[in-house]
Amino acid sequence: EPREDEVSSARGKCAVLMLIYVFLFVTFYVVDKAGFIDVKALRRQVASAPPVLGFSLWLVTFCVGELVHVPGFLFVGVAVYLLGPVSGGLLSYCGAVISASVSFLLIRGSVGPILDDASIPYTEWVLGKLRDAPICTMVCLRFIFGMGPSLVFFLAVSSVSFGNYLLSTMLGLPLPMFCMVVVFHFFLGEDADVVPPQV
């Protein structure tokens, strides 16, 4: 069983992470409601910018953030904040699938599926489920952990195939993505998508 200091450390990390989430949500809300930024003008600038360039920069940042364990909901928040819930949500879904795939391939290529050979407590049951029903198990994990970078790393060092991983990511992300978009849209106002992106 885990030692008491390990449990305390894990609880402390979870508490710090939750405080960061709350702080970011409050910051987004205050900045938007206090009028520090003209959101409509900012959206117009984003809509008038070359879409390929903007998406490419955002996607590269998303991929790098996934690798260094930056929470993916931050990039969803930026997309929803600038493009609104519909355009921002669709962009976030595509970006999340691409980012998760790139991270998986890089980790798998550099480390390999080493988890099955390691004896790590509390992972045997999950690894067994991944072997018996990989797609269903990974979809359930996506429902629970969403775009969590730690989940990507865990799956990348397991023995699941990239094909099953990609399919489960595409099937498992819509629900948590929808929840994040709804939350961000609630906090960031209801005037989103007032400026359609130019093609």
Side-chain angles (χ1 to χ4, degrees), residues 41-66:
L42 188 58
R43 285 174 183 154
R44 283 193 292 269
Q45 293 178 2
V46 171
S48 62
V52 175
L53 176 61
F55 176 73
S56 299
L57 292 175
W58 177 83
L59 182 59
V60 169
T61 307
F62 201 158
C63 292
V64 174
E66 184 85 23

Side-chain angles (χ1 to χ4, degrees), residues 78-91:
V78 170
V80 173
Y81 188 73
L82 296 178
L83 299 177
V86 177
S87 301
L90 292 175
L91 179 70

Side-chain angles (χ1 to χ4, degrees), residues 63-75:
C63 292
V64 174
E66 184 85 23
L67 286 171
V68 298
H69 280 56
V70 175
F73 81 91
L74 294 177
F75 301 97

Side-chain angles (χ1 to χ4, degrees), residues 11-31:
R11 289 175 178 174
K13 291 178 181 178
C14 290
V16 171
L17 187 60
M18 289 303 299
L19 288 175
I20 293 174
Y21 286 175
V22 172
F23 172 77
L24 291 171
F25 274 124
V26 172
T27 301
F28 269 119
Y29 183 81
V30 171
V31 168

Side-chain angles (χ1 to χ4, degrees), residues 76-157:
V76 177
V78 170
V80 173
Y81 188 73
L82 296 178
L83 299 177
V86 177
S87 301
L90 292 175
L91 179 70
S92 298
Y93 174 76
C94 295
V97 172
I98 295 173
S99 173
S101 301
V102 171
S103 298
F104 180 94
L105 292 174
L106 289 176
I107 296 171
R108 174 62 64 84
S110 59
V111 179
I114 61 174
L115 194 57
D116 284 349
D117 298 329
S119 179
I120 302 176
Y122 311 112
T123 62
E124 288 82 1
W125 183 82
V126 178
L127 292 175
K129 292 296 183 181
L130 286 173
R131 286 189 292 267
D132 297 336
I135 295 178
C136 181
T137 302
M138 285 188 283
V139 168
C140 292
L141 290 173
R142 281 292 180 194
F143 285 163
I144 299 172
F145 298 102
M147 297 181 298
S150 298
L151 176 61
V152 177
F153 183 85
F154 177 82
L155 296 175
V157 297

